[in-house]
Amino acid sequence: MESTLNAPVHKGWKIATGLALFTVLYNLGEGIISLYYGAQDEALTLAGFGVDSFIEVVSGLGILAMIGRLRRYGNKDRGRFEKLALQITGVCFYALVAGLVIGAGYSAWEQQKPETTVAGIVVSLLSIAIMRVLAGWKIRTGEQLNSASIIADGKCTMVCVYMSVVLLASSVLYELLHLPYIDAAGLLGLAWFSFKEGQESFEKSKDAAACCGHC
């Protein structure tokens, strides 16, 4: 497969592979750290952000699998494979929405208060700085390769930037005001972006299926 690709396309797939691998490794570390400190500090927004990081891992693994398949089998059934990858990502996001809404309800009912949200501030600032660059790079690479799933993965990463902003805002506000409902509001903010991203993934899956015969 690699020998049949021209140099720019071959380079594009190498870049896409590197970006997907970085996504998997970075989000794996971010997810573990977020869940650990989220549980330790009883900061549910940070814990929910950590779960989202693991969905990014799933998305990155899907991209790596797609690239490996393309190199082995070429463009045969590429649209169908991209559709499946996008649908899996969409289902994961919808599952996350349900968990976040339940968590928000629990937090509000119990008037749950994190011990501290310093870890959320640090994680969100780091995520904003890294994910913004990564998202733009993925989208440009996906456009060059005409890959709906890579573009969707880039937009998924951009949504992580928005989620990081929500995490940062809720963490800073709680650290300053210590109001009981800020953590619940942060969870609902993450749920909204997760729902929109799941919806986007399913819409993109339709586009991928439509272009199956042209990829």
Side-chain angles (χ1 to χ4, degrees):
M1 169 64 182
E2 293 184 8
S3 61
T4 65
L5 297 176
N6 58 51
V9 173
H10 177 62
K11 181 180 179 181
W13 284 117
K14 288 183 67 175
I15 291 173
T17 302
L19 293 175
L21 184 59
F22 178 82
T23 295
V24 170
L25 295 177
Y26 176 83
N27 281 283
L28 187 61
E30 181 182 75
I32 292 172
I33 291 171
S34 297
L35 283 176
Y36 174 77
Y37 283 102
Q40 186 180 60
D41 300 335
E42 297 184 2
L44 295 183
T45 302
L46 179 57
F49 185 80
V51 176
D52 172 74
S53 297
F54 287 116
I55 294 180
E56 276 285 293
V57 171
V58 172
S59 181
L61 289 173
I63 297 299
L64 287 173
M66 183 196 72
I67 293 172
R69 188 183 185 284
L70 285 171
R71 287 182 170 178
R72 184 174 181 180
Y73 299 109
N75 284 326
K76 182 181 179 181
D77 293 332
R78 171 177 168 179
R80 186 170 62 182
F81 192 83
E82 290 202 10
K83 177 182 177 181
L84 178 60
L86 288 163
Q87 288 176 335
I88 291 173
T89 301
V91 168
C92 289
F93 271 112
Y94 283 152
L96 176 60
V97 170
L100 291 172
V101 170
I102 293 171
Y106 170 81
S107 178
W109 179 264
E110 296 290 334
Q111 294 191 6
Q112 178 265 347
K113 297 181 180 180
E115 293 183 13
T116 178
T117 54
V118 172
I121 294 172
V122 174
V123 169
S124 59
L125 286 173
L126 185 62
S127 181
I128 290 170
I130 294 176
M131 291 293 113
R132 186 173 180 182
V133 175
L134 184 62
W137 203 348
K138 284 182 178 180
I139 291 171
R140 289 193 300 272
T141 302
E143 290 173 346
Q144 292 169 1
L145 295 171
N146 191 30
S147 172
S149 58
I150 292 178
I151 293 173
D153 185 51
K155 291 182 177 180
C156 173
T157 302
M158 195 63 208
V159 171
C160 286
V161 176
Y162 305 147
M163 289 184 170
S164 300
V165 172
V166 171
L167 174 62
L168 178 62
S170 64
S171 299
V172 170
L173 285 173
Y174 183 81
E175 203 65 29
L176 293 174
L177 303 176
H178 293 281
L179 296 177
Y181 299 111
I182 289 180
D183 207 30
L187 286 170
L188 291 177
L190 295 182
W192 168 253
F193 284 116
S194 296
F195 174 78
K196 296 298 291 183
E197 188 54 33
Q199 191 177 51
E200 176 78 12
S201 294
F202 277 107
E203 289 176 355
K204 285 292 184 182
S205 73
K206 296 177 183 177
D207 295 337
C211 72
C212 182
H214 305 286
C215 293

